[in-house]
Amino acid sequence: MATHSELRDFWEHRLEGDWTESGVGYRALGRPFNSWMYKVREEVFLREIGRLGLGGASVLDVGSGTGFYVGLWDRLGAGEVTGCDMTDAAVERLRGRFPRHRFVRQDASELDAFGRADFDVASCMDVLFHITDDDRYASAFVQLGRVVRPGGTLIISENCLQRPEQRGEHQVNRTLETITAVADKAGFDIVHRVPMLMLMNAQVDASLPWRKVWGAFLRAVTLTGPTGWLAGAALYQVDRRLVRGRTESPTTELLVLERREDD
């Protein structure tokens, strides 16, 4: 498993060379497919977070990457939006893309640039499962609990496994039980959980045969840019309907957590 320094170097190099959806997404499937995948993420985020009535809220977006979710916060009418990322490559480009927002280089587990209860809302999207060290993972939740005001909201995406945990060099897929316990210890209650994707991502919470078959299929249909675009366009129409009709997902889910008043 990579060290924290190695992970930072990995993401620095990756985003320096590919500051697009494929750089922050499922890189093996190519940019055309990832562009369609992110359209589903966009629809889910805007629909689910739009229902929370967070217009005018002060927001911290942790692990901003390309600024995809910063742009969605703007569309939702958020107030002041602050972003951070562990890489210089992302922060420098984010400052140019969103000149009216503040961006700093900060790791999710070390948010010392921000004060206690500085924000009404924090989002940490497609980030936490890339923290492979368990202590740093817990620290990220503690830091998010520190910067979000009591009664405030945390929005994350996670792979909430109901099968055994899966560990890789750059990603750890933890169980829903573990995620819930770590969040609870940091002062958060999960109040809402919905699928963010269904078929357009690795099937990490499915049976091993299905994971292998579907993964091989996705890699095969995305071997070229044109076929990846066509596969993405077709699966986009399926996934955007499936995420509305399911309560569980074999892959990434969106979670809304509330910061408890008494912690």
Side-chain angles (χ1 to χ4, degrees), residues 114-119 142-143 145-150 259 263:
F114 314 112
R116 182 174 297 278
D118 269 357
F119 301 96
V142 170
Q143 289 298 307
R146 182 181 62 82
V147 302
V148 174
R149 65 168 176 79
R259 178 72 169 88
D263 288 25

Side-chain angles (χ1 to χ4, degrees), residues 64-81:
S64 294
T66 62
F68 179 79
Y69 294 99
V70 174
L72 298 187
W73 279 118
D74 281 343
R75 289 173 60 182
L76 288 169
E80 180 180 343
V81 179

Side-chain angles (χ1 to χ4, degrees), residues 1-4 7 11 62 86 107-110 124 126-141 144 158 165-174:
M1 189 173 295
T3 66
H4 180 66
L7 281 172
W11 286 107
V62 178
M86 71 187 302
D107 184 272
S109 61
E110 302 169 352
C124 192
D126 311 326
V127 171
L128 292 170
F129 45 75
H130 290 301
I131 302 177
T132 56
D133 181 273
D134 289 340
D135 290 339
R136 283 190 173 272
Y137 183 83
S139 178
F141 272 97
L144 289 162
E158 260 287 16
E165 182 180 89
Q166 302 160 11
R167 289 186 172 266
E169 185 177 9
H170 299 121
Q171 182 166 322
V172 175
N173 301 317
R174 295 175 172 88

